[in-house]
Amino acid sequence: METIDIDILNNCTQNNKERVWVVMNLFKKTALSLLVLLSFPFEVLAYSNYIIPGGESIGIEIKSEGILVVGFYKVNGKFNKGTPNIKVGDRITKVEGSLVDSVKGMVDLMEEHVKEGKVTLTVLRNGKDKEIDLDLTYEDGNYKTGLYVKDEISGIGTLTYIDPETKIYGALGHNIVEANTNETVEVRTGSIFRSTITSIDRSSSGSPGGKNAKFYSSTIYGNIEKNSETGIYGKYTIEVPDKKALKVATIEEIEEGNAKIYTVLEGDTLEEFDIEITKVDEKSDIKNIYFKVTDKKLLEKTGGIVQGMSGSPIIQNDKIIGAVTHVVISNPSSGYGISIINMLEEGERQN
């Protein structure tokens, strides 16, 4: 069954702490009265048992590692003959040996170092650096590369939770991918910030709708330290909202039957909507909860699940059990969610 991640990024529409403790067990050797020291390293994840549920819409901006090549354009009616050695998905990290971290910086270095219509680029491909000589075309007083590139990705999603003890947050419930390459975006820096919902495009069978939003990028809520298959994570850098903390439910506690999701459909107004959980999969890493929307207001307003709802927390029996992640394209009143435990554990781990 075809599904789609339900965030809006690129019009298709993330320091955590892994704690390795050494436990020393003392055993008394009776005959010699000696203490024997044994050490066992193991992972302890220190998320809280009670966390602040989200549901608020957030703007998202990620600056990726290197300048991402997303396509090619024609120069003088044809594709630049110097581009065959460059592929979509390559990350330009250096121009003539100098590091670049923005499109403007890359262009400035190219203009400074171009010789006989050529520049040497260092690109990152499949985890390895590769040097490539790129031929530039001089046209209308400018050198043209024939490359479409980008250095950041932005869009909207939904905040899932904030841990009030560590101030680690989680959002989306799935990774952010670059639309042209379908690859997970590597985070150099990033932030989440205020956004308000201005309108909704309804979902219909075969066509998932989406939230439309206004961004307030100067009102930053937190940074983005990690973009993983279970969501985006970082530190919430402003005061934690004064909201009731909910107990964390294990996946074994999730039941088939009634539940709620928290999300925003208009402005900043956070609302609760009814869903029914139809299946629980304890073995999956990312699709643990199968559900259908039963709330009449939500169905009338959105047609079901829309892009931009990813990360909306799922609540059952006054516990936070997971987050909405995907919509079923052929039936947008149905969707999938991830267990909150899977998100909390990933949020605690270091990159």
Side-chain angles (χ1 to χ4, degrees), residues 141-154:
N142 296 295
Y143 284 104
K144 297 190 176 181
T145 65
L147 306 176
Y148 286 122
V149 296
K150 64 169 62 174
D151 59 8
E152 66 178 44
I153 290 177
S154 61

Side-chain angles (χ1 to χ4, degrees), residues 67-128:
I67 311 303
L68 183 65
V69 178
V70 297
F72 307 98
Y73 64 89
K74 290 182 178 180
V75 180
N76 288 333
K78 60 183 179 181
F79 289 107
N80 188 338
K81 67 180 181 180
T83 61
N85 291 327
I86 294 182
K87 298 181 179 181
V88 170
D90 284 349
R91 298 181 183 277
I92 301 170
T93 58
K94 296 179 183 178
V95 175
E96 296 291 341
S98 297
L99 291 171
V100 293
D101 59 10
S102 69
V103 172
K104 182 180 184 303
M106 183 188 73
V107 171
D108 290 345
L109 282 170
M110 284 183 172
E111 291 178 348
E112 180 182 348
H113 292 287
V114 61
K115 295 178 181 178
E116 298 180 354
K118 292 180 181 290
V119 291
T120 300
L121 306 179
T122 302
V123 303
L124 184 64
R125 182 187 300 167
N126 298 325
K128 296 182 179 179

Side-chain angles (χ1 to χ4, degrees), residues 156-177:
I156 67 170
T158 301
L159 181 68
T160 304
Y161 72 88
I162 306 168
D163 187 322
E165 298 298 326
T166 64
K167 297 195 75 173
I168 293 171
Y169 77 84
L172 295 187
H174 61 74
N175 59 340
I176 295 175
V177 299

Side-chain angles (χ1 to χ4, degrees), residues 61-291:
E61 182 177 86
I62 292 178
K63 292 188 181 296
S64 62
E65 292 285 354
I67 311 303
L68 183 65
V69 178
V70 297
F72 307 98
Y73 64 89
K74 290 182 178 180
V75 180
N76 288 333
K78 60 183 179 181
F79 289 107
N80 188 338
K81 67 180 181 180
T83 61
N85 291 327
I86 294 182
K87 298 181 179 181
V88 170
D90 284 349
R91 298 181 183 277
I92 301 170
T93 58
K94 296 179 183 178
V95 175
E96 296 291 341
S98 297
L99 291 171
V100 293
D101 59 10
S102 69
V103 172
K104 182 180 184 303
M106 183 188 73
V107 171
D108 290 345
L109 282 170
M110 284 183 172
E111 291 178 348
E112 180 182 348
H113 292 287
V114 61
K115 295 178 181 178
E116 298 180 354
K118 292 180 181 290
V119 291
T120 300
L121 306 179
T122 302
V123 303
L124 184 64
R125 182 187 300 167
N126 298 325
K128 296 182 179 179
D129 287 331
K130 183 180 181 66
E131 284 197 353
I132 294 174
D133 290 328
L134 177 68
D135 291 328
L136 305 181
T137 299
Y138 193 74
E139 182 181 75
D140 300 329
N142 296 295
Y143 284 104
K144 297 190 176 181
T145 65
L147 306 176
Y148 286 122
V149 296
K150 64 169 62 174
D151 59 8
E152 66 178 44
I153 290 177
S154 61
I156 67 170
T158 301
L159 181 68
T160 304
Y161 72 88
I162 306 168
D163 187 322
E165 298 298 326
T166 64
K167 297 195 75 173
I168 293 171
Y169 77 84
L172 295 187
H174 61 74
N175 59 340
I176 295 175
V177 299
E178 203 289 316
N180 297 280
T181 66
N182 203 37
E183 293 184 356
T184 298
V185 176
E186 297 291 334
V187 177
R188 177 167 56 85
T189 61
S191 62
I192 59 171
F193 49 87
R194 183 187 174 213
S195 73
T196 59
I197 303 304
T198 57
S199 63
I200 301 287
D201 297 327
R202 295 182 80 255
S203 286
S204 59
S205 179
S207 179
K211 294 182 179 183
N212 301 306
K214 182 177 181 180
F215 287 169
Y216 299 85
S217 57
S218 61
T219 307
I220 294 174
Y221 294 157
N223 63 6
I224 298 174
E225 298 178 359
K226 184 193 300 188
N227 175 27
S228 78
E229 68 173 0
T230 66
I232 60 171
Y233 303 90
K235 282 294 183 70
Y236 203 77
T237 54
I238 63 172
E239 185 177 355
V240 174
D242 184 17
K243 297 167 62 177
K244 177 185 176 182
L246 296 182
K247 185 173 176 56
V248 172
T250 65
I251 192 167
E252 292 80 12
E253 293 178 279
I254 303 173
E255 303 172 352
E256 294 182 6
N258 295 334
K260 294 181 180 292
I261 63 172
Y262 295 172
T263 201
V264 174
L265 299 185
E266 184 175 355
D268 293 308
T269 304
L270 185 64
E271 298 182 80
E272 299 180 8
F273 299 101
D274 295 324
I275 63 170
E276 180 184 349
I277 296 174
T278 58
K279 180 181 175 182
V280 180
D281 184 353
E282 297 182 11
K283 296 180 179 179
S284 175
D285 291 330
I286 54 176
K287 291 182 180 177
N288 307 114
I289 301 167
Y290 296 65
F291 68 88

Side-chain angles (χ1 to χ4, degrees), residues 319-340:
K319 298 177 182 178
I320 181 167
I321 66 171
V324 177
T325 60
H326 294 75
V327 59
V328 178
I329 295 176
S330 61
N331 180 16
S333 65
S334 297
Y336 298 91
I338 184 172
S339 164
I340 193 64

